[in-house]
């Protein structure tokens, strides 16, 4: 595995956890809160989960750019990280891709 500096390792681990939590919140919004809203007439589920997901999404976007800088990502990898945040399962796919391509061990 690629040897990261302690600072790079910290950024990589931080980004991994933020991306995984954001990805889980998106899946909960799509597959639990939205069906509750439309099938069981419980719009509060989307209100609460949507708010939490929105906050996590902002944190994810805010974290992408310094992480890209610290880990020396090129433009396409940074763009892939941004696109992954709006796709279901995207953060998980990006994390797996990052582990393989940069051989980063979290």
């Amino acid at each position: 595995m690629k040897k990261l500096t302690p600072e790079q390792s910290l950024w990589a681990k931080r980004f991994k956890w933020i991306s995984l939590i954001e990805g889980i919140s998106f899946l909960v919004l799509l597959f639990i809160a939205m069906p509750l809203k439309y099938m069981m007439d419980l719009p509060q589920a989307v209100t609460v989960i949507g708010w939490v997901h929105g906050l996590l999404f902002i944190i994810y976007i805010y974290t992408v750019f310094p992480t890209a800088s610290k880990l020396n990502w090129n433009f396409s990898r940074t763009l892939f990280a941004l696109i992954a945040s709006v796709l279901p399962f995207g953060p998980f796919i990006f994390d797996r891709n990052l582990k393989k391509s940069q051989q980063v061990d979290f």
Side-chain angles (χ1 to χ4, degrees):
M1 294 290 158
K2 181 179 177 182
K3 186 68 173 167
L4 299 177
T5 67
E7 183 182 17
Q8 287 176 320
S9 180
L10 176 67
W11 278 96
K13 287 177 184 177
R14 182 182 301 149
F15 182 75
K16 174 189 177 175
W17 284 107
I18 290 170
S19 67
L20 293 178
I21 293 168
E22 190 272 338
I24 290 168
S25 75
F26 190 32
L27 294 177
V28 169
L29 178 65
L30 290 176
F31 297 112
I32 296 174
M34 296 291 282
L36 285 173
K37 177 180 180 178
Y38 292 109
M39 292 179 191
M40 303 186 91
D41 197 29
L42 293 170
Q44 300 85 0
V46 171
T47 302
V48 173
I49 300 299
W51 186 86
V52 170
H53 169 67
L55 181 63
L56 291 168
F57 177 77
I58 291 169
I59 292 169
Y60 177 91
I61 296 300
Y62 180 75
T63 309
V64 165
F65 295 105
T67 303
S69 175
K70 298 292 183 186
L71 297 180
N72 301 315
W73 292 352
N74 59 21
F75 176 78
S76 62
R77 181 169 312 281
T78 305
L79 182 62
F80 184 33
L82 294 171
I83 292 170
S85 69
V86 296
L87 299 173
F89 303 102
F92 309 109
I93 295 167
F94 181 76
D95 179 55
R96 187 179 63 197
N97 178 272
L98 185 63
K99 284 181 185 177
K100 287 181 181 179
S101 65
Q102 287 197 330
Q103 297 179 338
V104 175
D105 186 21
F106 296 108

